Structures are given as C-alpha cells and as structure tokens.
Amino acid sequence: MGFVNCEVKEKIAVVTINRPEALNALNSQVLDDLAAAFDGIDTNVVRAVVLTGAGEKSFVAGADIGEMSTLSKAEGEAFGKKGNDIFRKIEQFPVPVIAAINGFALGGGCEISMSCDIRICSENAMFGQPEVGLGITPGFGGTQRLARLIGAGMAKQLIYTAKNIKADEAYRIGLVNAVYPQEELLAAAEKMANQIAANAPIAVRACKKAINDGLQVNIDDALVIEEKLFGSCFESEDQREGMANFLRKKDDPKKVKVVDFKNA
Ligand code: CO8
C-alpha cells in the first residue's frame, strides 16, 4: 500500500510509514494510507500493533512542510482535523499500539507517537515540537497529549522553546518507556507486542479502554468505567479458562499449562 506497509506476523502487526526520502513526513497521502492500514487490520487475529518508520534515520520528521506552506486558514483547520482523526483512530484502536521510534520524531512525528499506547525508541531518536519556529502551533494533538503525558510545565517548555531533545532526555521525562540500540529496537517492540498478544485479548482491550476512557472523567466516574469493563470479563471463556488454570496449578503444579487465550 502506497506510503504505508502492514505486515501481519501471527498475532501482531507491524505498520511501517514508508517515505524515507522525506524522512517519513506526513503528507495527505501518507495520512490516508495510514488510516487505510489501520482499517485493514483484522483485530480478531491481531492483538497488538507496532508502528515504526522506514529507514534508520527517522520515525516521522513531522507533517509535510511543503504541503502545509500554502494552506489557507480553512485548509489548515481541515489538515489539522485530518491528522487528528487518524491519530484518534490509533489512540482508540481496539488493541494496543506500540510506537517503535527509530529516529526523528518531530512535530507530527512526536504527536503520532503520543497517540500510541506505549513508546520505545532507539538511541539516535530525537523528539520535539518545532512548530512555533515555523509560525504554527502543534496541530495534530501535541498541545493536548504532551501536557497529559509529561505534565503541563515540561510540555510548555518543549513547545514554547521548540527545542529538540535526545532519547535519554525523553526517557528521563517519561515520554518514552525505554531506549534501545537502533538494531535492537524493532525486535524489542515485537517482543513486547507478542507478550501482550499472549494475554487474554478481551481483558487487554478492556484495560486499554478503561485507562483511556477513565482519564477523561473524574475518579468516581472512572471507577464505574472500570467496574463495568471488569464485570464484562466474566462473560468470557478466557476468564473461566485463565482462572481454572490457576486453580489446577494450585491442586497439582504438574497441571500447569500455558493458556491459549481465544478472544472469546
Ligand atoms: N516535511 C517535508 N519534507 C521533509 C520534512 C518535513 N517535515 N522533514 C524532512 N523533509 C525532507 C527534506 O526536505 C529533505 O528532502 P530533499 O532531499 O528533497 O531536500 C529530506 O526530507 C531529508 O531531510 P534533510 O536533508 O533536511 O535531512 P537532515 O538530516 O539534514 O535534517 C531534520 C533532518 C533535522 C529532521 C530536518 O529535515 C528538519 O528539520 N525537518 C523538519 C522537521 C520539522 O520541523 N518538523 C515539524 C513539522 S511541523 C508539524 O509537524 C506540524 C504538525 C501539525 C500539523 C497541523 C496542520 C495544521
């Protein structure tokens, strides 16, 4: 598919933004291809997704500056909405999405990584919101998600100064969960995706929904969201089998087995 490849490897999918000649910058076509790639993933089969960029230099170097340079006010708003809609699709994708950030994650690149559930990066990764240096605001969710992820004070510093930060600083401020040598990054992301995929998929999805939806409301309403999703797990085969397996193990340790959760 055009600028985005999607490879399914048993229970995980690896989605690669493939426009290395422009450091994987997001133009309208890349955004459309990205939406189509996520729409095409069968979440009855795939239980976790890895999102990365082609090449060894860049994850995504931002929205396409050439395409944006001539936009009118209305077109700017429409372009912002286009990006926001696809990033929201990723954020609300039923199964977890891990960003494997293999280089520059600037502007829209930092923003797309923040719409993923988990971020890990390579040692050469570089993060930043350089928009105010270009005369615009972060327009693909950066003003909102960065503050929610790392706190308003640090988000404001990064956005107002437009200064880029390296992988170790991104790790220190909690923007990424781990840093790997470039050549180990994708394997580490796939390993984590497979660890997620080995767990009960209905429960994993419910956790994602509980965390995401709960963060948008007050704690009382958030706990009700959790209770409902917790309760819904008791209608699943996975809950019955997962708990029965634990009880069998207690009876007789030799009866231990790896549960093959079935999405049911
Ligand atoms: N858009 C378009 N093309 C890009 C972009 C980009 N964001 N980034 C890199 N490229 C292209 C370059 O033009 C160059 O193309 P060519 O070979 O045809 O000249 C190619 O990629 C390689 O780039 P460089 O030669 O510049 O590579 P360097 O290693 O010298 O530098 C950098 C790498 C530092 C990443 C540099 O390319 C750079 O500064 N890029 C721009 C980074 C940036 O400012 N990103 C933020 C963009 S704004 C944004 O993302 C806003 C999101 C919200 C939009 C809301 C819409 C309303």
Side-chain angles (χ1 to χ4, degrees), residues 21-23 25 57 61-65 76 79 104 107-108 111 130-131 134 139:
E21 66 283 3
L23 303 185
K57 190 170 169 185
D64 191 298
I65 297 172
F79 190 55
F104 293 115
E111 290 168 306
E131 285 88 346
L134 296 164

Side-chain angles (χ1 to χ4, degrees), residues 177-222:
N177 292 4
V179 183
Y180 294 90
Q182 169 82 253
E183 61 280 10
E184 293 172 20
L185 176 68
L186 198 54
E190 291 186 12
K191 184 175 175 193
M192 189 188 290
N194 279 308
Q195 283 167 343
I196 293 169
N199 289 320
I202 289 173
V204 171
R205 286 172 186 228
C207 291
K208 173 164 179 169
K209 194 166 168 45
I211 295 168
N212 281 359
D213 292 359
L215 282 172
Q216 306 309 319
V217 298
N218 68 54
I219 184 72
D220 292 314
D221 292 343

